[in-house]
Structure formats: structure tokens, C-alpha cells
Amino acid sequence: MADRDELQAFTSMMDALVRISTSMKNMERELLCPVCKEMYKHPLILPCKHNVCQVCASEILLQRGYICDPNSEPNSPASSPVTRSPRMGRRVVPKQERLLKQGFGTYPGRKRGASHPPTVLFPCPPCQCDVDLGERGLGNLFRNLTLERVVERYRQTVNISSAIMCQFCKPPQLEATKGCTECRATFCNECFKLYHPWGTQKAQHEPTPPTLTFKPKGLMCPDHKEEVLLYCKTCQRLVCQICRVRRNHNGHKMTPIVSAYQALRDKLNKSLSYILGSQHIVQGQISDLEESMRQTEVSGARAQEEVLQLIGALRSALEEKQAALTRTIVERQKERHDVLEGQVWERQALLESSGLVSYTQEVMKETDQPCFVLAAKQIHERMQRAIEGVQSFRAADCAPLPPFKLDVSREMKLLTDLHFVRAPDAPVIDTQRTYAYDHIFLSWRLPQDSAPAWHYTVEFRKTDPKHKGLKLWQRQEEIWALSTVLEGPDTDSVYVLRVKGYNKAGYGEYSEDIYLHTPPAQVLNFFLDSSCGFPRDRLVVSKDKRAVRSVPGVPMLFAAERLMTSCHVSMELVLGDVAITQGQYYWECSVDPSSYVLKVGVGQESKLQELFQMPQDVASPRYDPDSGHDSGAEDATLDLSPAFAFLTIGMGKILQPHGSPPNSRDPTGCTIPLPPRLGVCLDYEKGRVGFYDAVSHRSLWESSVDCSGPVCPAFCFIGGGALQLQELVSIKHERKVTIGGFTKAE
């Protein structure tokens, strides 16, 4: 038992070591310079947030022809050495060459006060594009001291026992022989002499043994050599106190470095915690991908086997057909051969009668008449039969051997067009025909070049804004038509639906999701009442009692006579055949945009009947100088009464009633475009009626209405117009699906 525990402990320890080793190896990728592919040495942070060794960056800029500033300090944490190693050949740059391409900083030959100094473009290897380093080039970059410390700790962790190399030699580097505490760098003999020339302040630096544990005091501002104490949120850059008062950062948002440090540390902690806590999720994703790879291999092998079987079946069918056709040719050939062979034997029999001819010729020499007659009689009969055989010869009456030509052009075309069956493309939902009313009607079609589908699957789910998690999809399969009806949706809800097709190749891609908003209340099913006493000569109701059209007719002609004094138009009223006494109901209608004036709303039946007992001609204030628009007095006559509420529509516009924004009665600001469908929702208990854009479910207007008695839908026509009630989805019987119980009816 103890041995088993020791074995398990040893196994766990080995697994931990393997994980640590793998983690260290993965981290090593982050510590390699993208240019030299070695661990960073004095890394610089580029504006694109990538890092690069300062020696590598200097060499790249030198290759591009940029002249580095010889006066910049290579030991500064904000700068980098830009002079080549003496082992690579020390190059003396003449003054005229320095003028060809300006580098960074000021140097002899540059004109002071230049209006637009050029900038240095550095080709970032990871970005694969040029990064603007500004006028000062590498002198404008910070050294990534944190990355240097991470590299040093990594070297100590993995016990990299390698010699300390010169930090300023181009690979292959020489081993460092000296170090400089002031410069915080290691040098070979030649580089130490180069960067500590006689006659300068650096010549007084005392050499020390080479080491990699130099600890700079901190980041210094590359412009002013001051310690950075602030962080510019606008520029996202570390700045010093001098930078803060300069013009470059005037008006920028500044924060102390401590605050920036704590904020970024908190963000990194949250990100790190999320990454560490999501390891099982990533591992599950990896497992899913590996399973997908395995399924891909299995599916590919299965497909190859199926192709071999099908091609083998085609080959077998061709071989069987070849044998059958060959057998037919052989049978017909034998039949023809037998017939012709019989005729050959008959002709050969005629040739054998040549002896009879010779015998007859000898008999003809006989002079004895009685004897000749006796012999000739016998010979003559045989000669007659031979003559008849020659004269009556005809080839055998049998079918000739056919040419046996095969036309395989169609089969060759089929074989040439032989390809894998494609799954149906993603269906396209017909948004013009798809809508939600009493039920949800969904219509779709396949793209033009799509493979055919045998049947379709519709998936839908109800969105819940209160819960962030999505509900599971509900599915209805084997829909053979291009439309379906989903019964029983919840009111005032949003459903998302999608469709996919199926054929021999399997399921295709899903269509784009479509979101449908169900009505805010139960849908009211009613018809137009033809017995409410409206003038039949001016109102025409359809046979199904769901559409009505107003024809101005003779009253308009009579009104033309009074055109110079006033204008009179007729008003007709149409009611619904259902009165509401409780609950909340919703219905929709479509108004012809060419209608002159049409009012849609609700009202108490008794009040409406009393109102329209007045004379049918009502004066219109079209030419009233106190009226600011073409219509609206009707609002004063009708809309002010609490017994009914109407929304006024005319000439493709909706007139916003009083109290609706905007408050101005300017005709250009008090109308909105007429939507394709209007929705009306009546809450009887609250005494409120709302009007909606039935397509976008945007509220147009809400009003109070007296619900002390039965209230019915009402439509008022002033002049010519037409109106159509929305057809119930339940009337369509292409396909029905109950959302709650998944029942279906064909």
C-alpha cells in the first residue's frame, strides 16, 4: 500500500514537472526577438506594442539608410546603440551622406526650425508593415525593463549556463570582458573602447566584471532625461513633469503613474484570473476540435468507401451490360449464319447436277429414236427441276444483321457530370410575406443555384431580455412546403426563427435569423358590419367583409358648385361587427396611400351612431384663414370627444394629434409617413387605445377613450379612400405547428 502511494506521489510530481517544463517552453516563445530569434537584449517597445532588440532595430534602420545620431547615449534606458560593432567594419559617415536621409535628433547639417521634419519608418516584423517612430526614431522609444527582468529570471530558472556576451556586437557576438555600472551594459574590449572614447565624460567610467544584473533606477523620459511620473491617457504614453507643461500634451488627461500602475495591474489580474479559470473551457474546446478532426477522418474514410462502392457498382453494371450486348450480337450472328449456311448447301446441290448435264449431252448423241425417247423422257424431268431451282433462287427471308452501333453520348455526359451531392444552401426568408399576427407565418425560398431540398427544419425560440442566457431552440422537422404556421405564440414577445434544408447530402446551412415581435394583446377577429346604415352608393364592401372602398360620387360634384364660397365633403362611417366589453385586444389594417382622408380608431357604438345621424355634409375649413392646414377641424369635432379616438390619415401621411410631439402644428413637422400596416390596441379596463406601426411595432400615438359601454372598431372616410383588414394567419393552411405542444396539421 505504501509503495502504491509513493508511486502515485512520484507520478503526480512528474506530471507537475512536465507541466512546468511545458509552460516554461511556451513562455520562451514570448522572450524571443522576432528579428534575431534569440532572447531579448535591451528590448525596445515599438508604438505598435511589439518588442525588438535595440541592436536589431539599429541594424534594420542602417540597412534602410537612416543615419543614427552619434551623440545619443547607448546606455540610456530610452535609447539604443546605433553604431555598428568594430568587428563588422567601422564606417566613417561623411557629412554630405548625413544630409541624404535625416535620422532622429539634431545633428550637423540639419536646419533648425524646419517646418515639417521627416519621420523614421521602422518595418515591424510581427506587423508586416512600417511603424512611424517619429522624428527622433529609436531615441523616442522606451526600453522594456520589465521584459529584461523576465528574461533574466527565465535564464536563472532554466539554468542557462552560457557566457555573458557583449551587448553591442552584431551576431556572432563576442564574449563580454567588461561591464559598466554607469552604462548598465556589458562590452567586449573593442566595444568598450568605442563607447568610452578618450576626452569624453564616459572615459571616466570604471570597468567592472561583466554581469547581466544591472538594475536601472527607472525609466527616463527620452526627451528630457527626467524620471517619468505621469501617464498621458490621451497619448497612452509615459511622460515626465516637463512633458506635462509642454504644448504636445496641452489639454491631455494625465494620471499619476501609481494610478495607471494600479489600474493596469487590476486589469491584468482580472484577465489572468479569467484565463486561468477558463482552462477547462479551452480544454473542452480542444477536445471538441480533436473530436471534429476524428469525425472528419471517419467521414472522409466513409466517403471514400462509399465512392469505391458506387463506382464499383457502376463498373459491375457496365460489365453486365457489356455481357448482355455481346450475347445478343452472338445470338443474332448465329441465327443469320445458320440460314445462310442452308442456302449454301442448296446451291451446292445445284452444282452437283453438272454430271446430269454431261449425261444429257451423251444421250443427245443417240440416233435410235425409240431408245432416245425413252431415255430423254427421264432426263427431261430432272433438267426441268434443275432449271426451276436456278430460276426461283432467292436469299433467305430473315432479318439482316443490325449494325450494332451504341449511342453513349448521354451516358458519357452523365458520367462527366458525376459529382458529389451538395447540401442545400441557406434558405432566404421572405420578409415581405413573413409576419406575426394571431399566429406566426414564416415563408422562405432557396437561392437560385442551390441544390434542391427534400424537406426543411424550422427552429425557433423566444428571447428573454431579463435573462442573459439564451433559451434552447425548439425544432419542427420534415416541413415539405416553403412556408409554415407556428401557432400559439405568447403576446408581446420576440421570437427568433431560422430554417435549414435537407437532402441526401444532409442538412445545409441555417438561414439568417429573423426576429418577429408578436402583437401586444390578443388578436381580435372581426368583419366590417354591413348593417350599420352607411350609404351603399358611396361605400363598397368586399364579399369577405374585410375590405372597404369609399367612392366620392355625386356629393363631390354637388360640392363643386359651392367651391367659390366653401367646400363640403361627405363623411361615411364603417364599424366592426364585434363590440368589446372587457379585456385587451389588437387588430391591424392597411390603408391605401392615395386615400384622401381616412380615420382609424375605436368608439362607443351608440355615440358613433348618434354622431353620424347628423347631416352627412360637414363643412371643411380648407379655405378658412384661421386653419393652418388642409384638414384638422375634424379633430376638433371628433377627437375631443372621450367616447371615441381616431388617428387621422391622408395622402400617405399620418397627422399627429394635439399633444403628440412635435407640438408645432406646422404641416411639415406634424405628419409622419404612413407605414404599410397600422396596429390598434384597446385596453378596455384601462380605457386606453394605442396606435402602432405594425411592421416595426413603434408606438405612433396613445389616447384615452370612454369604455363605459361597448366599444367597437370604427373607420371614417372623408372623400375617396380604401382600407383592408389584416388577414388572419389561421386562414392559411399550408402548415400549422403549435409552439407549446409541437402538434402539426397538414
Side-chain angles (χ1 to χ4, degrees), residues 240-259:
C240 65
Q241 293 289 355
I242 300 178
C243 294
R244 180 180 183 179
V245 298
R246 289 298 176 92
R247 183 181 302 175
N248 293 341
H249 299 278
N250 186 21
H252 291 185
K253 296 183 65 176
M254 297 287 181
T255 182
I257 195 67
V258 177
S259 301

Side-chain angles (χ1 to χ4, degrees), residues 445-491:
R445 59 178 175 82
L446 283 176
Q448 184 176 3
D449 298 331
S450 171
W454 294 353
H455 55 77
Y456 299 89
T457 295
V458 174
E459 293 185 356
F460 56 91
R461 65 184 177 190
K462 177 182 174 182
T463 60
D464 191 354
K466 297 181 180 179
H467 299 84
K468 295 183 179 180
L470 296 176
K471 293 186 177 181
L472 296 178
W473 289 96
Q474 301 183 46
R475 181 181 294 107
Q476 185 61 39
E477 300 178 343
E478 296 186 3
I479 299 176
W480 304 92
L482 292 176
S483 61
T484 186
V485 175
L486 306 179
E487 292 185 340
D490 297 337
T491 58

Side-chain angles (χ1 to χ4, degrees), residues 282-299:
V282 177
Q283 190 61 42
Q285 294 172 350
I286 294 175
S287 301
D288 294 341
L289 292 174
E290 291 176 349
E291 178 64 21
S292 299
M293 293 172 60
R294 191 186 67 82
Q295 290 293 339
T296 301
E297 294 178 358
V298 173
S299 300

Side-chain angles (χ1 to χ4, degrees), residues 303-329:
Q304 292 181 10
E305 183 179 356
E306 184 178 354
V307 168
L308 292 176
Q309 291 178 355
L310 293 176
I311 297 300
L314 289 176
R315 188 181 296 109
S316 300
L318 287 175
E319 291 176 354
E320 292 178 1
K321 193 65 175 178
Q322 177 184 359
L325 293 175
T326 303
R327 187 167 52 253
T328 300
I329 294 174

Side-chain angles (χ1 to χ4, degrees), residues 17 37 73 97 122 188 237 244 262-263 275 295 337 391 441 446 453 455 491 519 550-551 570 574 614:
L17 290 176
K37 305 303 180 183
E73 292 185 6
E97 185 178 350
F122 181 81
C188 62
R237 179 179 175 85
R244 180 180 183 179
Q262 191 61 42
I275 293 296
Q295 290 293 339
H337 181 272
Q391 293 179 348
F441 179 74
L446 283 176
H455 55 77
T491 58
S550 173
V551 182
S570 59
V574 180
M614 65 178 63

